[in-house]
Amino acid sequence: MRILKNPNFNFTGTMVPAAVLSAAVIVAGIVSLAVRGLNFGVEFAGGTMATARFVHQPSVGDVRSSLAAVGLGDAVIQEVAKGNQVLIRVGKATEKEQGIGGTIRKALYNDEEKGLLAAGRVDLNEIGTDPLFNVLYDGDPLNLGKTESAQAGYRSFAEALVRQRTVAGPLTDFAWLPAAAGSIAGVDRVETFLKDHGFFGGYMIVALESVGPSVGKELRHKAFIAVALALGALLVYVWFRFQLAYGFAAVVAIFHDVMVTIAFFSFTQREFSLTVLAALLTIAGFSINDTIVIFDRLRDNLKTMPGRSFPELVNLSNNQCLSRTVLTTGTVIVVTLSLFFLGGTVINDFAFAMLVGCISGTYSTVWVATAIVVVWERLRKRREMKARSR
Amino acid sequence: MLKWKIILILAVTALGVFLSVPPDKKIKRGLDLKGGIYLVCRVVTDDAINSDLADLELRITQGLQSKKIPFAGTKPFGDPEHGTFELRVFGVPGDSVPDFTAFLKTFADFRLERRGGSDWALIVPAQRIDYIRNEAVDQTVRTIKNRIDKLGVAEPIVQRQGLTGDRILVQLPGLDDPERVKALISAVGSLELKLVEGGPFRSRVEALRQYGGTEDNLPINLELVAGQSTDQFGVVATNWYVVERLPIVRGMDIKHASEGSDQVGGATVEFSLEATGSRRFGEVTGRNIGRHLAIILENKVESAPVIRDRITSNGQISNIENPQEARDLVTVLNAGAHPAGIEYIYESHVGPSLGRDSVRSGVTAAAVGFLAVVLFMVIYYKWSGVNAIVALLLNIILLTGTMGFLGSVLTVPGIAGLILAIGMSVDANVLVFERIREDLRDGKTVKSAIEHGFSKAFGTIFDSNATTVVAAIVLFIYGTGPIRGFAITLTFGLIANMFTAVFVSKTIFEAFILNRKGRVEHLSI
């Protein structure tokens, strides 16, 4: 089985339409950046991002008004359909606002729950294993006294509760308790005790990240250096392997890929986080391979076929390497698609960046990098002829 | 020759499997996969310097009093922005100056300056300031570790960020109640017992009325402290007290704290004092029966019971909301107070449920990605495709084995890196196979096509992975924890690729094709 048997596409001939397409996408991207900007993650922009998992999906409006009541009215709230989750993002962050996590948590309780908390009841969906154990051990619903078996028994109840809410999300009842308690007796007394001393809060905070201005500034600084360093290193690498013209062409191709990916992040307003930046740098390192392979072939062809014109040889080199280019990018795209559809919410934006970057990378390898080299050569010849004719 | 190659490959595989199976125990998981808390704290080192000044003040006043050197009063003064910290001593009469300066010679760490008339200042030199700041951070690392010990966290990490500076990193895997733990860590734990001059007053204004209504007019031996009290109806009110500035007993004088309960069953914390503190406590309470004693926790008055009797060794803190709070306070008091305040400048908390979901999604995506690649390779390259898949499997085992061996941490982006490495690793095989196909089309024999295909393989594969590895190394140097995990899996995966795609693949060809006697007519590729 073979794909692309003896391809003979005219890449240099279609240089201009390709350039127009690229320019269109990039210009649209720049416009989008100016108008909507990028949805920078909290690591870049500072602020707090919390993910809350509710028992019943709340309305965005309700969540916003609860947060506004504690001074977090600037909250950006996003519903995540899977698992009744809500993403909350606020500008205030931990350095200037110690205890922002606690503020958000308290705000998400409804009035009834706030009353229960004030009365000294514990939220069974929030309490940690140790404090829950302490509540049971002190309260001693099974009348075991302060013995070691009491400790072991109550600890296993506490762990069972925490394990259940880890697996199933926020709890609403004790239906799971008999099964989890196993051979320990007196389950209904424990249940009654917990019902009296606790309540099931309506949500769980499953993730929270708060980036204060000091740390945010440092992360931005580091990100900038990383990008500059990576691009610099790749430019130097190609320059040494070939010549400046090729190095320049390769870097332009990378810029193209980065701009296209950023453009798509601005169009879709997906979160541009540090991880997405990592995807961009990985694309840069990966897609430059195909470019190097084609330049390698071009250099060979220039030596062995001196008679043919430069653009013709560029086309030939592109076509000779085309099946390899498509196959190698293809395998990466296949695994990235798997990551995109199955990898979970945390890594989804990264997978999106890799997909866009890969596709753009292949395109820029055959149309952009080689086109730049052709144009450079044309300009060089023109300069040479002008110098000779004087 | 071939035999040894096969043995080497099998040995390496076995080692890789041993180092990474079972993955639950052998591969370390990052906080984003395990769940846990990651905190970056800043130590407010100015507090430590002020504390040093307060100490100095105590020693000087006691010393001057015992040597019967008259003075009007003392006051510490700190200006962090300009880096000046000093203790001012007022009203030393002219004829006492020789005795005064002689006594102060014993405080050689400080610089004595006359401030005109009968006023003097003991200045904290810059060297001492730097030393105190540095010590404060080290000390805070120790006290945080002490407190965390009580939490029973497996594999906690508490360390200074960088060699200098005021930051501390705290990593607590597996914890599921971040707010409580954060409060436990950042509570300074400063406990002081001070004599009450006046109070409780219902407002600041009332408290200061005697002193002209502003805090500036307070005599230098007094200060204003707020307190909170809850009456029997659960109503919370803020009171104000005017107390003596110098404490009788401080946190470091506490020998041991424990939980207790009062007559009505409310939670309390009982504490006992060390010998010197105990003596001083006895002296002062003996002289001041009938006055109130303010128990000040974190610069807030917890309670101000009346001194009925000379107390020497024990005290009680009541007014505590619930037994869990009492337990946490006991942990803080026993672990020691922080030398300075702590601010959080970064925090990240991943709940165990999200961690679990991420592991599941990651493994599913990796499995499906792997299967897709297997499908493609087998369909496109037939039996040679199987060869490539075997090499790929080995690649993955080498990657996980290396991670298990080095104790590298697997993160969510790390799983993505593994998946990408799967996709990029087969490229090496694709390179070689395409070249073999070309040679076969050109008419070369099977054996020579294979030899030729692999001949320059290593250089080409190195080349094609090198740029990606360069990018990954930059990410490792400048990336945060999770991104480092990505850089690690991608780099190790691609480096292992050099071994598996060239050596292992070729060995498989050797075993099945190259070592056959005579010509081989057909290659399944």
PDB file of all heavy atoms in Angstrom, chain A residues 98 138 206 208-210 212 214 218 237 241 285 289 324 331 338, chain B residues 42 167 327 344-347 349 351 365 427 431 437 463-464 467:
ATOM      1  N   GLN A  98      -5.331  37.494  50.531  1.00  0.00           N
ATOM      2  CA  GLN A  98      -5.126  36.224  51.219  1.00  0.00           C
ATOM      3  C   GLN A  98      -6.486  35.619  51.536  1.00  0.00           C
ATOM      4  O   GLN A  98      -7.378  36.303  51.950  1.00  0.00           O
ATOM      5  CB  GLN A  98      -4.356  36.445  52.535  1.00  0.00           C
ATOM      6  CG  GLN A  98      -2.979  37.041  52.340  1.00  0.00           C
ATOM      7  CD  GLN A  98      -1.978  36.054  51.790  1.00  0.00           C
ATOM      8  OE1 GLN A  98      -1.872  34.936  52.285  1.00  0.00           O
ATOM      9  NE2 GLN A  98      -1.259  36.428  50.765  1.00  0.00           N
ATOM     10  N   ASP A 138     -14.535  12.022  68.618  1.00  0.00           N
ATOM     11  CA  ASP A 138     -14.999  12.784  69.771  1.00  0.00           C
ATOM     12  C   ASP A 138     -16.450  12.455  70.077  1.00  0.00           C
ATOM     13  O   ASP A 138     -16.857  12.297  71.220  1.00  0.00           O
ATOM     14  CB  ASP A 138     -14.887  14.295  69.509  1.00  0.00           C
ATOM     15  CG  ASP A 138     -13.435  14.743  69.449  1.00  0.00           C
ATOM     16  OD1 ASP A 138     -12.574  14.028  69.994  1.00  0.00           O
ATOM     17  OD2 ASP A 138     -13.181  15.800  68.846  1.00  0.00           O
ATOM     18  N   VAL A 206     -13.140  21.292  42.949  1.00  0.00           N
ATOM     19  CA  VAL A 206     -12.226  20.224  42.542  1.00  0.00           C
ATOM     20  C   VAL A 206     -10.853  20.745  42.131  1.00  0.00           C
ATOM     21  O   VAL A 206      -9.907  19.984  42.052  1.00  0.00           O
ATOM     22  CB  VAL A 206     -12.816  19.357  41.409  1.00  0.00           C
ATOM     23  CG1 VAL A 206     -13.998  18.584  41.907  1.00  0.00           C
ATOM     24  CG2 VAL A 206     -13.179  20.180  40.209  1.00  0.00           C
ATOM     25  N   LEU A 208      -8.347  24.586  42.178  1.00  0.00           N
ATOM     26  CA  LEU A 208      -8.246  26.024  42.369  1.00  0.00           C
ATOM     27  C   LEU A 208      -6.813  26.457  42.129  1.00  0.00           C
ATOM     28  O   LEU A 208      -5.894  25.807  42.611  1.00  0.00           O
ATOM     29  CB  LEU A 208      -8.655  26.389  43.803  1.00  0.00           C
ATOM     30  CG  LEU A 208      -8.743  27.889  44.087  1.00  0.00           C
ATOM     31  CD1 LEU A 208     -10.088  28.220  44.677  1.00  0.00           C
ATOM     32  CD2 LEU A 208      -7.663  28.335  45.015  1.00  0.00           C
ATOM     33  N   GLU A 209      -6.628  27.518  41.370  1.00  0.00           N
ATOM     34  CA  GLU A 209      -5.280  28.033  41.186  1.00  0.00           C
ATOM     35  C   GLU A 209      -5.333  29.537  41.351  1.00  0.00           C
ATOM     36  O   GLU A 209      -6.172  30.209  40.754  1.00  0.00           O
ATOM     37  CB  GLU A 209      -4.752  27.686  39.798  1.00  0.00           C
ATOM     38  CG  GLU A 209      -3.274  28.026  39.650  1.00  0.00           C
ATOM     39  CD  GLU A 209      -2.702  27.604  38.316  1.00  0.00           C
ATOM     40  OE1 GLU A 209      -3.491  27.253  37.427  1.00  0.00           O
ATOM     41  OE2 GLU A 209      -1.471  27.644  38.160  1.00  0.00           O
ATOM     42  N   SER A 210      -4.475  30.067  42.195  1.00  0.00           N
ATOM     43  CA  SER A 210      -4.473  31.498  42.429  1.00  0.00           C
ATOM     44  C   SER A 210      -3.058  32.024  42.240  1.00  0.00           C
ATOM     45  O   SER A 210      -2.135  31.578  42.927  1.00  0.00           O
ATOM     46  CB  SER A 210      -4.973  31.795  43.840  1.00  0.00           C
ATOM     47  OG  SER A 210      -5.222  33.166  43.987  1.00  0.00           O
ATOM     48  N   GLY A 212      -0.636  35.190  42.329  1.00  0.00           N
ATOM     49  CA  GLY A 212      -0.472  36.572  42.750  1.00  0.00           C
ATOM     50  C   GLY A 212       0.383  37.330  41.749  1.00  0.00           C
ATOM     51  O   GLY A 212       1.074  36.737  40.929  1.00  0.00           O
ATOM     52  N   SER A 214       3.236  38.909  41.930  1.00  0.00           N
ATOM     53  CA  SER A 214       4.688  38.646  41.865  1.00  0.00           C
ATOM     54  C   SER A 214       4.995  37.421  41.033  1.00  0.00           C
ATOM     55  O   SER A 214       5.843  37.441  40.146  1.00  0.00           O
ATOM     56  CB  SER A 214       5.258  38.413  43.258  1.00  0.00           C
ATOM     57  OG  SER A 214       5.034  39.496  44.079  1.00  0.00           O
ATOM     58  N   GLU A 218       6.764  36.850  37.152  1.00  0.00           N
ATOM     59  CA  GLU A 218       7.896  35.954  36.903  1.00  0.00           C
ATOM     60  C   GLU A 218       7.594  34.947  35.827  1.00  0.00           C
ATOM     61  O   GLU A 218       8.437  34.649  34.985  1.00  0.00           O
ATOM     62  CB  GLU A 218       8.210  35.174  38.166  1.00  0.00           C
ATOM     63  CG  GLU A 218       9.235  35.824  38.996  1.00  0.00           C
ATOM     64  CD  GLU A 218       9.396  35.049  40.272  1.00  0.00           C
ATOM     65  OE1 GLU A 218       9.221  33.812  40.230  1.00  0.00           O
ATOM     66  OE2 GLU A 218       9.646  35.695  41.278  1.00  0.00           O
ATOM     67  N   TYR A 237      20.616  26.477  14.704  1.00  0.00           N
ATOM     68  CA  TYR A 237      20.770  25.090  14.253  1.00  0.00           C
ATOM     69  C   TYR A 237      20.641  24.992  12.737  1.00  0.00           C
ATOM     70  O   TYR A 237      21.505  24.421  12.065  1.00  0.00           O
ATOM     71  CB  TYR A 237      19.703  24.227  14.942  1.00  0.00           C
ATOM     72  CG  TYR A 237      19.802  22.759  14.649  1.00  0.00           C
ATOM     73  CD1 TYR A 237      20.628  21.941  15.404  1.00  0.00           C
ATOM     74  CD2 TYR A 237      19.057  22.180  13.623  1.00  0.00           C
ATOM     75  CE1 TYR A 237      20.710  20.580  15.151  1.00  0.00           C
ATOM     76  CE2 TYR A 237      19.147  20.830  13.371  1.00  0.00           C
ATOM     77  CZ  TYR A 237      19.966  20.035  14.125  1.00  0.00           C
ATOM     78  OH  TYR A 237      20.049  18.694  13.873  1.00  0.00           O
ATOM     79  N   ARG A 241      23.451  24.166   9.795  1.00  0.00           N
ATOM     80  CA  ARG A 241      23.272  23.004   8.926  1.00  0.00           C
ATOM     81  C   ARG A 241      23.324  23.410   7.469  1.00  0.00           C
ATOM     82  O   ARG A 241      23.807  22.680   6.614  1.00  0.00           O
ATOM     83  CB  ARG A 241      21.915  22.330   9.203  1.00  0.00           C
ATOM     84  CG  ARG A 241      21.844  21.524  10.458  1.00  0.00           C
ATOM     85  CD  ARG A 241      22.479  20.174  10.293  1.00  0.00           C
ATOM     86  NE  ARG A 241      21.547  19.109  10.080  1.00  0.00           N
ATOM     87  CZ  ARG A 241      21.222  18.597   8.901  1.00  0.00           C
ATOM     88  NH1 ARG A 241      21.716  19.078   7.804  1.00  0.00           N
ATOM     89  NH2 ARG A 241      20.378  17.605   8.821  1.00  0.00           N
ATOM     90  N   GLY A 285       9.739  22.965  17.309  1.00  0.00           N
ATOM     91  CA  GLY A 285      10.826  21.997  17.217  1.00  0.00           C
ATOM     92  C   GLY A 285      10.505  20.851  16.283  1.00  0.00           C
ATOM     93  O   GLY A 285      11.370  20.337  15.593  1.00  0.00           O
ATOM     94  N   ASN A 289      11.701  19.839  11.462  1.00  0.00           N
ATOM     95  CA  ASN A 289      12.291  18.614  10.911  1.00  0.00           C
ATOM     96  C   ASN A 289      12.031  18.446   9.435  1.00  0.00           C
ATOM     97  O   ASN A 289      12.932  18.201   8.643  1.00  0.00           O
ATOM     98  CB  ASN A 289      11.690  17.386  11.587  1.00  0.00           C
ATOM     99  CG  ASN A 289      12.147  17.256  12.983  1.00  0.00           C
ATOM    100  OD1 ASN A 289      13.193  17.764  13.312  1.00  0.00           O
ATOM    101  ND2 ASN A 289      11.370  16.584  13.794  1.00  0.00           N
ATOM    102  N   ARG A 324       6.940  11.230   2.887  1.00  0.00           N
ATOM    103  CA  ARG A 324       7.516  11.189   4.243  1.00  0.00           C
ATOM    104  C   ARG A 324       6.935  12.294   5.118  1.00  0.00           C
ATOM    105  O   ARG A 324       6.585  12.071   6.274  1.00  0.00           O
ATOM    106  CB  ARG A 324       9.038  11.359   4.143  1.00  0.00           C
ATOM    107  CG  ARG A 324       9.717  11.164   5.457  1.00  0.00           C
ATOM    108  CD  ARG A 324      10.915  12.076   5.589  1.00  0.00           C
ATOM    109  NE  ARG A 324      10.856  12.751   6.859  1.00  0.00           N
ATOM    110  CZ  ARG A 324      11.849  12.821   7.716  1.00  0.00           C
ATOM    111  NH1 ARG A 324      12.985  12.260   7.413  1.00  0.00           N
ATOM    112  NH2 ARG A 324      11.718  13.459   8.853  1.00  0.00           N
ATOM    113  N   THR A 331       1.095  10.590  11.599  1.00  0.00           N
ATOM    114  CA  THR A 331       1.110   9.795  12.830  1.00  0.00           C
ATOM    115  C   THR A 331       0.947  10.690  14.057  1.00  0.00           C
ATOM    116  O   THR A 331       0.250  10.329  15.004  1.00  0.00           O
ATOM    117  CB  THR A 331       2.414   8.996  12.973  1.00  0.00           C
ATOM    118  OG1 THR A 331       3.518   9.866  12.806  1.00  0.00           O
ATOM    119  CG2 THR A 331       2.466   7.863  11.970  1.00  0.00           C
ATOM    120  N   SER A 338      -6.469  11.630  19.263  1.00  0.00           N
ATOM    121  CA  SER A 338      -6.846  10.808  20.414  1.00  0.00           C
ATOM    122  C   SER A 338      -6.782  11.640  21.695  1.00  0.00           C
ATOM    123  O   SER A 338      -7.688  11.588  22.536  1.00  0.00           O
ATOM    124  CB  SER A 338      -5.897   9.612  20.511  1.00  0.00           C
ATOM    125  OG  SER A 338      -6.116   8.915  21.705  1.00  0.00           O
TER     126      SER A 338
ATOM    127  N   ARG B  42       5.532  33.745  51.006  1.00  0.00           N
ATOM    128  CA  ARG B  42       6.566  34.749  51.213  1.00  0.00           C
ATOM    129  C   ARG B  42       6.648  35.041  52.702  1.00  0.00           C
ATOM    130  O   ARG B  42       5.633  35.297  53.354  1.00  0.00           O
ATOM    131  CB  ARG B  42       6.228  36.028  50.468  1.00  0.00           C
ATOM    132  CG  ARG B  42       7.262  37.121  50.745  1.00  0.00           C
ATOM    133  CD  ARG B  42       6.796  38.482  50.319  1.00  0.00           C
ATOM    134  NE  ARG B  42       6.753  38.576  48.882  1.00  0.00           N
ATOM    135  CZ  ARG B  42       5.815  39.223  48.221  1.00  0.00           C
ATOM    136  NH1 ARG B  42       4.837  39.805  48.874  1.00  0.00           N
ATOM    137  NH2 ARG B  42       5.839  39.278  46.908  1.00  0.00           N
ATOM    138  N   ARG B 167      11.220  33.264  49.915  1.00  0.00           N
ATOM    139  CA  ARG B 167      10.105  32.420  49.502  1.00  0.00           C
ATOM    140  C   ARG B 167      10.276  30.979  49.940  1.00  0.00           C
ATOM    141  O   ARG B 167      11.377  30.445  49.955  1.00  0.00           O
ATOM    142  CB  ARG B 167      10.006  32.434  47.994  1.00  0.00           C
ATOM    143  CG  ARG B 167       9.635  33.785  47.494  1.00  0.00           C
ATOM    144  CD  ARG B 167       9.086  33.633  46.150  1.00  0.00           C
ATOM    145  NE  ARG B 167       8.899  34.922  45.522  1.00  0.00           N
ATOM    146  CZ  ARG B 167       8.639  35.057  44.249  1.00  0.00           C
ATOM    147  NH1 ARG B 167       8.555  33.988  43.509  1.00  0.00           N
ATOM    148  NH2 ARG B 167       8.468  36.258  43.749  1.00  0.00           N
ATOM    149  N   ARG B 327      -7.500  21.704  68.383  1.00  0.00           N
ATOM    150  CA  ARG B 327      -6.447  20.783  67.950  1.00  0.00           C
ATOM    151  C   ARG B 327      -5.424  21.485  67.083  1.00  0.00           C
ATOM    152  O   ARG B 327      -4.222  21.315  67.243  1.00  0.00           O
ATOM    153  CB  ARG B 327      -7.062  19.658  67.127  1.00  0.00           C
ATOM    154  CG  ARG B 327      -7.505  18.535  67.954  1.00  0.00           C
ATOM    155  CD  ARG B 327      -7.754  17.311  67.130  1.00  0.00           C
ATOM    156  NE  ARG B 327      -8.379  16.348  67.997  1.00  0.00           N
ATOM    157  CZ  ARG B 327      -9.672  16.278  68.208  1.00  0.00           C
ATOM    158  NH1 ARG B 327     -10.489  17.075  67.568  1.00  0.00           N
ATOM    159  NH2 ARG B 327     -10.164  15.379  69.044  1.00  0.00           N
ATOM    160  N   TYR B 344       0.686  34.097  51.293  1.00  0.00           N
ATOM    161  CA  TYR B 344       0.695  33.197  50.134  1.00  0.00           C
ATOM    162  C   TYR B 344       0.743  34.028  48.872  1.00  0.00           C
ATOM    163  O   TYR B 344      -0.049  34.962  48.716  1.00  0.00           O
ATOM    164  CB  TYR B 344      -0.559  32.321  50.133  1.00  0.00           C
ATOM    165  CG  TYR B 344      -0.583  31.340  51.265  1.00  0.00           C
ATOM    166  CD1 TYR B 344      -1.528  31.439  52.273  1.00  0.00           C
ATOM    167  CD2 TYR B 344       0.364  30.321  51.350  1.00  0.00           C
ATOM    168  CE1 TYR B 344      -1.545  30.543  53.327  1.00  0.00           C
ATOM    169  CE2 TYR B 344       0.340  29.432  52.402  1.00  0.00           C
ATOM    170  CZ  TYR B 344      -0.603  29.545  53.384  1.00  0.00           C
ATOM    171  OH  TYR B 344      -0.616  28.660  54.427  1.00  0.00           O
ATOM    172  N   ILE B 345       1.681  33.711  47.967  1.00  0.00           N
ATOM    173  CA  ILE B 345       1.683  34.456  46.716  1.00  0.00           C
ATOM    174  C   ILE B 345       1.281  33.580  45.533  1.00  0.00           C
ATOM    175  O   ILE B 345       1.077  34.060  44.422  1.00  0.00           O
ATOM    176  CB  ILE B 345       3.055  35.107  46.436  1.00  0.00           C
ATOM    177  CG1 ILE B 345       4.150  34.057  46.406  1.00  0.00           C
ATOM    178  CG2 ILE B 345       3.369  36.134  47.488  1.00  0.00           C
ATOM    179  CD1 ILE B 345       5.504  34.664  46.048  1.00  0.00           C
ATOM    180  N   TYR B 346       1.167  32.290  45.768  1.00  0.00           N
ATOM    181  CA  TYR B 346       0.685  31.397  44.726  1.00  0.00           C
ATOM    182  C   TYR B 346       0.108  30.174  45.397  1.00  0.00           C
ATOM    183  O   TYR B 346       0.696  29.659  46.354  1.00  0.00           O
ATOM    184  CB  TYR B 346       1.821  30.974  43.789  1.00  0.00           C
ATOM    185  CG  TYR B 346       1.413  29.944  42.771  1.00  0.00           C
ATOM    186  CD1 TYR B 346       0.861  30.328  41.557  1.00  0.00           C
ATOM    187  CD2 TYR B 346       1.559  28.585  43.028  1.00  0.00           C
ATOM    188  CE1 TYR B 346       0.458  29.380  40.631  1.00  0.00           C
ATOM    189  CE2 TYR B 346       1.159  27.635  42.108  1.00  0.00           C
ATOM    190  CZ  TYR B 346       0.610  28.039  40.914  1.00  0.00           C
ATOM    191  OH  TYR B 346       0.216  27.106  39.997  1.00  0.00           O
ATOM    192  N   GLU B 347      -1.026  29.716  44.946  1.00  0.00           N
ATOM    193  CA  GLU B 347      -1.528  28.451  45.458  1.00  0.00           C
ATOM    194  C   GLU B 347      -2.241  27.683  44.366  1.00  0.00           C
ATOM    195  O   GLU B 347      -2.878  28.264  43.484  1.00  0.00           O
ATOM    196  CB  GLU B 347      -2.445  28.660  46.653  1.00  0.00           C
ATOM    197  CG  GLU B 347      -3.575  29.597  46.399  1.00  0.00           C
ATOM    198  CD  GLU B 347      -4.397  29.841  47.644  1.00  0.00           C
ATOM    199  OE1 GLU B 347      -5.242  28.987  47.940  1.00  0.00           O
ATOM    200  OE2 GLU B 347      -4.189  30.874  48.295  1.00  0.00           O
ATOM    201  N   HIS B 349      -4.511  23.996  43.995  1.00  0.00           N
ATOM    202  CA  HIS B 349      -5.091  22.852  44.674  1.00  0.00           C
ATOM    203  C   HIS B 349      -5.813  21.996  43.658  1.00  0.00           C
ATOM    204  O   HIS B 349      -6.661  22.487  42.913  1.00  0.00           O
ATOM    205  CB  HIS B 349      -6.049  23.343  45.757  1.00  0.00           C
ATOM    206  CG  HIS B 349      -6.991  22.289  46.242  1.00  0.00           C
ATOM    207  ND1 HIS B 349      -8.360  22.449  46.265  1.00  0.00           N
ATOM    208  CD2 HIS B 349      -6.762  21.042  46.706  1.00  0.00           C
ATOM    209  CE1 HIS B 349      -8.911  21.342  46.734  1.00  0.00           C
ATOM    210  NE2 HIS B 349      -7.972  20.482  47.011  1.00  0.00           N
ATOM    211  N   GLY B 351      -8.110  18.617  43.500  1.00  0.00           N
ATOM    212  CA  GLY B 351      -8.798  17.630  44.307  1.00  0.00           C
ATOM    213  C   GLY B 351      -8.526  16.235  43.773  1.00  0.00           C
ATOM    214  O   GLY B 351      -8.240  16.051  42.595  1.00  0.00           O
ATOM    215  N   ALA B 365      -6.619   7.904  26.359  1.00  0.00           N
ATOM    216  CA  ALA B 365      -6.114   8.561  25.149  1.00  0.00           C
ATOM    217  C   ALA B 365      -4.833   7.888  24.672  1.00  0.00           C
ATOM    218  O   ALA B 365      -4.625   7.692  23.468  1.00  0.00           O
ATOM    219  CB  ALA B 365      -5.864  10.045  25.423  1.00  0.00           C
ATOM    220  N   ASP B 427       7.949   7.664  13.497  1.00  0.00           N
ATOM    221  CA  ASP B 427       8.521   8.374  12.349  1.00  0.00           C
ATOM    222  C   ASP B 427       9.882   7.823  11.981  1.00  0.00           C
ATOM    223  O   ASP B 427      10.231   7.747  10.799  1.00  0.00           O
ATOM    224  CB  ASP B 427       8.668   9.863  12.676  1.00  0.00           C
ATOM    225  CG  ASP B 427       7.338  10.547  12.747  1.00  0.00           C
ATOM    226  OD1 ASP B 427       6.336   9.909  12.385  1.00  0.00           O
ATOM    227  OD2 ASP B 427       7.284  11.715  13.169  1.00  0.00           O
ATOM    228  N   LEU B 431      10.908   6.541   8.310  1.00  0.00           N
ATOM    229  CA  LEU B 431      12.072   6.990   7.550  1.00  0.00           C
ATOM    230  C   LEU B 431      12.821   5.814   6.930  1.00  0.00           C
ATOM    231  O   LEU B 431      13.113   5.782   5.734  1.00  0.00           O
ATOM    232  CB  LEU B 431      13.052   7.696   8.490  1.00  0.00           C
ATOM    233  CG  LEU B 431      12.875   9.179   8.756  1.00  0.00           C
ATOM    234  CD1 LEU B 431      13.912   9.612   9.755  1.00  0.00           C
ATOM    235  CD2 LEU B 431      13.004   9.937   7.469  1.00  0.00           C
ATOM    236  N   ARG B 437      11.902   0.777   0.903  1.00  0.00           N
ATOM    237  CA  ARG B 437      10.960   0.647  -0.215  1.00  0.00           C
ATOM    238  C   ARG B 437      11.541   1.224  -1.491  1.00  0.00           C
ATOM    239  O   ARG B 437      11.435   0.635  -2.571  1.00  0.00           O
ATOM    240  CB  ARG B 437       9.656   1.375   0.114  1.00  0.00           C
ATOM    241  CG  ARG B 437       8.672   0.572   0.927  1.00  0.00           C
ATOM    242  CD  ARG B 437       7.353   1.317   0.982  1.00  0.00           C
ATOM    243  NE  ARG B 437       6.318   0.570   1.652  1.00  0.00           N
ATOM    244  CZ  ARG B 437       5.062   1.004   1.754  1.00  0.00           C
ATOM    245  NH1 ARG B 437       4.724   2.165   1.222  1.00  0.00           N
ATOM    246  NH2 ARG B 437       4.162   0.282   2.372  1.00  0.00           N
ATOM    247  N   ASP B 463      18.963  13.552  13.770  1.00  0.00           N
ATOM    248  CA  ASP B 463      18.627  14.856  13.218  1.00  0.00           C
ATOM    249  C   ASP B 463      17.162  15.209  13.419  1.00  0.00           C
ATOM    250  O   ASP B 463      16.821  16.307  13.831  1.00  0.00           O
ATOM    251  CB  ASP B 463      18.912  14.821  11.711  1.00  0.00           C
ATOM    252  CG  ASP B 463      19.758  15.983  11.285  1.00  0.00           C
ATOM    253  OD1 ASP B 463      20.090  16.804  12.157  1.00  0.00           O
ATOM    254  OD2 ASP B 463      20.066  16.046  10.096  1.00  0.00           O
ATOM    255  N   SER B 464      16.285  14.267  13.082  1.00  0.00           N
ATOM    256  CA  SER B 464      14.866  14.608  13.088  1.00  0.00           C
ATOM    257  C   SER B 464      14.339  14.753  14.514  1.00  0.00           C
ATOM    258  O   SER B 464      13.399  15.491  14.748  1.00  0.00           O
ATOM    259  CB  SER B 464      14.050  13.569  12.321  1.00  0.00           C
ATOM    260  OG  SER B 464      13.872  12.422  13.109  1.00  0.00           O
ATOM    261  N   THR B 467      15.779  18.607  16.968  1.00  0.00           N
ATOM    262  CA  THR B 467      15.152  19.913  17.146  1.00  0.00           C
ATOM    263  C   THR B 467      14.024  19.841  18.156  1.00  0.00           C
ATOM    264  O   THR B 467      13.849  20.754  18.968  1.00  0.00           O
ATOM    265  CB  THR B 467      14.622  20.446  15.809  1.00  0.00           C
ATOM    266  OG1 THR B 467      13.864  19.429  15.178  1.00  0.00           O
ATOM    267  CG2 THR B 467      15.758  20.892  14.925  1.00  0.00           C
TER     268      THR B 467
END
